[in-house]
């Protein structure tokens, strides 16, 4: 039930002293065969061997993660299951008799968190999102010098955002999903939001209520836009979708939720908050349906008053069909009237109780997960759930995954939510934009203070990027918070990060990362949880300060950052084969080039307003040359290719990262999901700026008084509808191109 609680914290060193107290070792997973205990009478007539105790859990799922990620080295890690003395996930890393190292754990989640810690802090390698240094592992894995113990400081370790399936790619393969889930598990996450595949649930539900397939096709958007449909923000964009593509998506989601359950992790599924297709009231006499108006220029789905008797009927159908497709869960994510909407006079507290009643009827004891964002959840909702009838709420819980824990100068979630359990969260990336940086200092300051507060309701962490697989340093650091209840020494953490990231100590890389830590990863406190985006991806405007409305300007010293990129390039050439190093060279050089745009644009504007034609021509040529270099650099790594992003996606995927939907009077989301990808820079961003500079030049030269504003939406939409294919294979040497970029920047 909702209530104020104190979450116990545990230190890393020595925290597992009691891991086997009263339980003992009960299950072993190791690559080599171990003689079984037969239970036979031995040679001594006075000694009889006892059967082994029943294992508390099967370590095979955790072993599977190791086999997939570590391949030939996996057999050198012995996994031991131990009985838990409490409900805290614990692990212990020690030397092994049967293998190179033994990891004990109270669950598969704890085992994998322990293996992840071992890889980083004993073997000095990382497996991250994206990039790894596993190729640096020695033939024989190192043993720890002394036992290392760890315990989770919080119960909930939540990952992914409602929008993640759109911005990270709605057409991802199972292989891509599998690696994402494996890496999340290795970093200790235990709850993963899986909102994909719900369109099939809704199709089945409303078929029960008499809707034809074509009517549902007109209501349900294409896959890339379905996250915002589930949030109640829009409906029917770029529909219908090919049935074969839909079925492939269902299959992938089934594999994902099955894998999470195998690992003992929780697939957090969407709940039913009340959205209905058009015309529901006309088909169902007496149904109280409320039109929800417009969100960013898009028509919202209608909302059924949860107190209406039809709501319980739909919810029963929803949870039944969802279970048929994806099984049961113990946690369901939903928000009432996300980012606006129309309550129509419905008391929201009463609505929340009705929603919770339907959830508890279908899934007794399930947790209702809400997003802390933009005034959500409302206090009247939380108060009503706290005070509702015990038959409904006594066994249920609410968990708020806070998207704003590292934003704003002052924040008091205890007061805001009056003791409701919440997870300290961050949204370090919006839309999957290409950017680097994090509010790391804010994390290391606010999180331990909140955790240590008397009577705190803090019970988790929440990693909430709108697209995963961006900025691995931020990901690594944030994931560790769950296992570090005390203040984190950021200087020390980053001083050793390069060695872990690249699998070896390199003086140049270490020096570079010390500067990155002091710039991109020391963003000052403020209203943003993300760094600045790239002006190359903005609709052309000489006064632009962000590619999206309301985005931040530079949040760190770009000159120092650029110098550090040059230093990173000076690392030993032996690192050129390390995947993580190759990835970082492209990403950090890309960021230095993007930062340079913020230096160039004011100079271009000054040349324009000063009618300095030679200066204008020189500077705009440099801008376009920089974009050409950017595209060439990005082409050297398949993770920065437009073709890789598109996969089998069509217009919906292309429009999501450019126009963001169709042309609407209130649309302000263009380039919200934009990112720097080879092909997108060359074919979308560069043509915009080239056209804009060409239109301005006659004004600078004095041969024209005005210039015509181009239809940027029309250009972008034409590209999105063109269906042009793009390479999925990288070309070129990233280190050579990065060196060219740095020479270009230094010559400025």
């Amino acid at each position: 039930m909702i209530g104020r609680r104190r979450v116990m914290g545990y230190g890393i060193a020595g925290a597992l002293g009691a891991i086997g107290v009263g339980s003992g070792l009960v299950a072993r997973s190791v690559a080599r065969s171990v003689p079984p205990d037969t239970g036979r009478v031995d040679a001594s007539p006075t000694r009889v061997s006892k059967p082994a105790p029943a294992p508390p859990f099967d370590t095979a799922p955790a072993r599977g993660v190791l086999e997939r990620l570590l391949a030939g080295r996996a057999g050198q890690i012995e996994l031991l299951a131990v009985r838990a003395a409490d409900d805290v996930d614990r692990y212990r890393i020690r030397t092994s008799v049967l293998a190179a190292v033994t990891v004990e754990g109270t669950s598969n989640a704890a085992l994998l968190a322990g293996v992840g810690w071992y890889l980083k802090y004993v073997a000095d390698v990382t497996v991250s999102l994206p990039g790894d240094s596993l190729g640096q592992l020695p033939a024989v894995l190192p043993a720890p010098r002394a036992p290392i113990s760890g315990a989770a400081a919080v119960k909930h370790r939540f990952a992914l955002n409602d929008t993640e399936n759109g911005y990270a790619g709605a057409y991802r393969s199972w292989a891509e999903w599998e690696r994402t889930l494996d890496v999340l598990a290795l970093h200790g996450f235990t709850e993963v939001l899986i909102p994909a595949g719900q369109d099939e649930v809704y199709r089945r539900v409303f078929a029960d209520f008499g809707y034809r397939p074509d009517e549902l096709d007109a209501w349900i958007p294409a896959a890339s836009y379905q996250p915002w449909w589930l949030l109640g923000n829009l409906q029917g964009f770029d529909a219908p979708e090919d049935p074969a593509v839909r079925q492939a998506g269902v299959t992938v989601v089934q594999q994902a939720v099955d894998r999470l359950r195998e690992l003992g992790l929780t697939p957090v599924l969407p709940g039913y908050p009340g959205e209905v297709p058009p015309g529901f009231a006309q088909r169902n006499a007496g149904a109280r349906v409320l039109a929800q108006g417009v969100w960013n220029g898009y028509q919202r789905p209608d909302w059924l008053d949860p107190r209406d008797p039809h709501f319980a009927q739909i919810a029963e159908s929803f949870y039944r069909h969802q279970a048929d497709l994806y099984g049961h869960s113990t946690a369901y994510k939903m928000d009432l009237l996300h980012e606006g909407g129309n309550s129509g006079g419905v008391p929201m507290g009463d609505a929340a109780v009705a929603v919770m009643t339907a959830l508890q009827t279908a899934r007794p004891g399930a947790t209702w997960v809400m997003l802390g964002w933009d005034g959500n959840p409302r206090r009247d909702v939380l108060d009503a759930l706290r005070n509702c009838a015990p038959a409904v709420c006594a066994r249920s819980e609410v968990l708020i995954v806070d998207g704003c824990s590292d934003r704003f100068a002052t924040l008091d979630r205890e007061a805001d939510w009056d003791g409701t359990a919440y997870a300290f969260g961050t949204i370090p990336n919006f839309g999957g934009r290409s950017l680097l940086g994090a509010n790391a200092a804010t994390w290391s300051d606010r999180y331990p203070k909140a955790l240590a507060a008397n009577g705190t309701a803090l019970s988790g962490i929440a990693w909430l990027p709108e697209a995963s697989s961006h900025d691995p340093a931020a990901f690594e650091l944030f994931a560790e918070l769950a296992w570090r209840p005390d203040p984190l020494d950021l200087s020390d953490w980053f001083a050793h990060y390069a060695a872990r990231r690249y699998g070896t100590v390199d003086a140049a890389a270490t020096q570079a990362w010390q500067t990155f830590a002091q710039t991109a990863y020391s963003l000052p406190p403020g209203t943003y949880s993300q760094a600045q985006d790239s002006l190359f991806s903005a609709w052309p405007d000489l006064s632009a300060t962000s590619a999206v409305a309301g985005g931040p300007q530079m949040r760190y010293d770009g000159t120092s950052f650029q110098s550090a990129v040059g230093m990173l390039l000076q690392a030993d050439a032996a690192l050129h084969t390390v995947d993580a190093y190759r990835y970082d060279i492209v990403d950090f050089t890309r960021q230095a080039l993007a930062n340079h745009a913020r230096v160039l644009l004011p100079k271009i504007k000054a040349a324009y307003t000063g009618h300095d034609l030679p200066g204008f021509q020189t500077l705009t040529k440099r801008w376009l040359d920089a974009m050409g270099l950017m595209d060439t650099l990005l082409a050297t790594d398949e993770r920065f290719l437009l073709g890789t992003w598109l996969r089998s996606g069509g217009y919906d995927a292309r429009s999501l990262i450019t126009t963001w939907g169709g042309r609407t009077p209130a649309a302000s989301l263009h380039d919200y999901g934009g990112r720097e990808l080879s092909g997108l820079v060359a074919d979308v961003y560069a043509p915009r700026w080239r056209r804009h500079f060409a239109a301005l030049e006659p004004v600078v030269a004095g041969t024209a008084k005005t210039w015509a504003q181009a239809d940027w939406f029309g250009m972008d939409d034409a590209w999105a509808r063109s269906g042009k294919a793009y390479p999925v294979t990288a070309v070129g040497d990233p280190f050579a191109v990065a060196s060219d970029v740095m020479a270009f920047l230094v010559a400025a």
Side-chain angles (χ1 to χ4, degrees), residues 126-436:
T126 54
V127 184
S128 196
L129 290 173
D132 66 65
S133 53
L134 293 176
Q136 300 291 83
L137 282 172
V140 177
L141 296 181
R145 296 178 180 177
I148 301 171
S149 297
V154 287
K155 174 183 178 182
H156 299 285
R157 283 100 71 193
F158 187 97
L160 305 188
N161 193 295
D162 296 86
T163 68
E164 198 271 347
N165 195 60
Y167 287 133
Y171 301 97
R172 283 173 288 183
S173 66
W174 166 236
E176 292 168 309
W177 262 113
E178 182 175 54
R179 179 175 174 83
T180 297
L181 298 181
D182 283 351
V183 175
L184 288 174
L186 202 68
H187 286 76
F189 289 98
T190 53
E191 297 155 326
V192 181
L193 180 59
I194 307 287
Q198 299 303 307
D199 56 315
E200 184 61 27
V201 176
Y202 276 92
R203 288 177 186 280
R204 297 184 182 192
V205 168
F206 286 106
D208 292 349
F209 286 82
Y211 281 83
R212 301 188 311 270
D214 63 301
E215 293 174 315
L216 296 175
D217 281 345
W219 182 53
I220 300 173
S224 295
Y225 287 87
Q226 285 177 16
W228 296 273
W229 166 67
L230 290 173
L231 287 167
N233 291 345
L234 57 76
Q235 62 186 23
F237 183 79
D238 192 34
E241 198 164 48
D242 183 271
V245 174
R246 290 207 315 265
Q247 182 54 52
V250 168
T251 300
V252 168
V253 174
Q254 289 171 335
Q255 292 172 299
V257 296
D258 287 347
R259 174 58 52 75
L260 287 169
R261 292 189 186 100
E262 289 172 7
L263 292 171
L265 311 184
T266 301
V268 182
L269 301 175
Y272 181 65
E275 277 73 36
V276 293
F280 187 86
Q282 289 72 33
R283 295 166 181 254
N284 298 272
R288 187 170 187 226
V289 175
L290 302 166
Q292 291 302 294
V294 174
W295 175 87
N296 281 296
Y298 301 95
Q299 180 61 50
R300 290 176 177 267
D302 291 339
W303 183 55
L304 176 66
D305 184 344
R307 302 170 303 168
D308 188 292
H310 293 90
F311 182 92
Q313 298 172 25
I314 297 173
E316 185 281 328
S317 177
F318 176 89
Y319 291 114
R320 173 166 44 84
H321 285 300
Q322 186 185 64
D324 289 343
L325 284 165
Y326 307 121
H328 290 199
S329 182
T330 57
Y332 292 82
K333 166 70 177 62
M334 50 186 161
D335 298 294
L336 298 180
L337 307 188
H338 174 79
E339 292 188 352
N342 170 32
S343 68
V346 175
M348 294 306 294
D350 293 348
V353 171
V355 171
M356 180 66 94
T357 300
L359 174 61
Q360 296 305 314
T361 300
R363 304 287 176 266
T367 296
W368 180 352
V369 180
M370 302 178 181
L371 176 65
W373 176 257
D374 196 29
N376 186 68
R378 297 165 44 138
R379 276 295 297 271
D380 53 354
V381 164
L382 298 178
D383 290 344
L385 292 175
R386 181 179 298 103
N387 299 314
C388 72
V392 175
C393 298
R395 295 176 54 220
S396 64
E397 289 190 352
V398 170
L399 173 67
I400 304 169
V401 289
D402 186 17
C404 300
S405 295
D406 58 347
R407 301 179 69 186
F408 312 117
T410 58
L411 200 70
D412 186 348
R413 289 318 202 185
E414 303 290 340
D416 291 342
W417 299 324
D418 194 26
T420 303
Y422 73 97
F424 182 96
T426 181
I427 306 177
N429 184 293
F430 289 81
R433 301 171 205 160
S434 297
L435 50 84
L436 289 167

Side-chain angles (χ1 to χ4, degrees), residues 444-467:
S444 64
D445 175 56
R446 290 185 180 179
Y447 171 74
K449 288 180 180 177
L451 191 63
N454 184 39
T456 183
L458 175 60
S459 61
I461 65 166
W463 176 248
L464 303 171
E466 289 196 336

Side-chain angles (χ1 to χ4, degrees), residues 667-721:
S668 61
L669 295 175
H670 66 83
D671 295 299
Y672 183 95
R675 65 282 310 266
E676 287 168 331
L677 299 171
S678 179
L680 194 64
V681 173
D683 286 1
V684 176
Y685 303 154
R688 291 179 189 164
W689 284 100
R690 188 176 297 111
R691 179 169 177 172
H692 189 57
F693 293 149
L696 295 182
E697 187 166 320
V699 178
V700 179
T703 60
K705 293 185 178 180
T706 60
W707 52 275
Q709 176 67 57
D711 180 6
W712 305 125
F713 176 91
M715 288 180 63
D716 292 352
D717 191 58
W719 171 83
R721 296 182 185 279

Side-chain angles (χ1 to χ4, degrees), residues 414-668:
E414 303 290 340
D416 291 342
W417 299 324
D418 194 26
T420 303
Y422 73 97
F424 182 96
T426 181
I427 306 177
N429 184 293
F430 289 81
R433 301 171 205 160
S434 297
L435 50 84
L436 289 167
N439 292 343
T442 303
W443 301 345
S444 64
D445 175 56
R446 290 185 180 179
Y447 171 74
K449 288 180 180 177
L451 191 63
N454 184 39
T456 183
L458 175 60
S459 61
I461 65 166
W463 176 248
L464 303 171
E466 289 196 336
S468 58
S469 294
H470 289 268
D471 204 343
F475 169 71
E476 293 285 334
L477 179 60
F478 191 85
E480 287 190 17
L481 294 180
W483 304 86
R484 290 180 177 269
D486 300 320
L488 179 65
D489 185 334
L490 290 179
S491 297
D492 179 71
W493 194 90
F494 277 107
H496 301 285
Y497 176 75
R500 298 192 300 272
R501 176 70 173 158
Y502 307 136
T504 188
V505 176
D506 181 276
T510 299
Q511 183 176 338
W513 270 99
Q514 287 173 337
T515 302
F516 295 148
Q518 296 161 6
T519 53
Y521 298 95
S522 291
L523 300 180
T527 59
Y528 296 101
S529 59
Q530 80 278 22
Q532 70 283 347
D533 60 18
S534 173
L535 298 184
F536 287 139
S537 62
W539 277 4
D541 180 349
L542 298 189
S543 298
T545 58
S546 176
V548 298
Q553 300 186 37
M554 280 292 296
R555 296 190 66 197
Y556 56 83
D557 180 6
T559 301
S560 296
F561 182 93
Q562 179 179 306
S563 297
V565 175
M567 181 59 66
L568 187 64
L569 265 170
Q570 295 177 33
D572 194 314
L575 293 184
H576 287 195
T577 60
V578 177
D579 177 63
Y581 181 67
R582 293 173 66 90
Y583 179 88
D584 286 355
I585 284 296
V586 175
D587 203 17
F588 280 81
T589 307
R590 174 208 58 75
Q591 186 65 58
L593 199 52
N595 290 345
H596 184 56
R598 294 179 175 272
V599 176
L600 272 181
L601 195 60
K603 295 180 179 180
I604 294 173
K605 182 178 180 180
Y608 170 77
T609 57
H611 295 279
D612 176 6
L613 182 59
F616 183 83
Q617 291 174 331
T618 298
L619 290 166
T620 55
K621 180 182 183 303
R622 182 171 179 81
W623 177 283
L624 295 173
D625 287 346
M627 298 188 78
L629 274 172
M630 173 78 78
D631 200 82
T632 302
L633 172 69
L634 298 169
T636 64
D637 190 302
E638 65 179 16
R639 290 161 290 196
F640 295 90
L641 299 180
L642 177 59
T644 303
W645 153 256
L646 290 175
R647 299 176 182 88
S648 59
Y651 172 70
D652 62 320
R654 294 168 189 262
S655 62
L656 188 70
I657 57 174
T658 51
T659 60
W660 213 105
R663 191 193 297 271
T664 63
S668 61

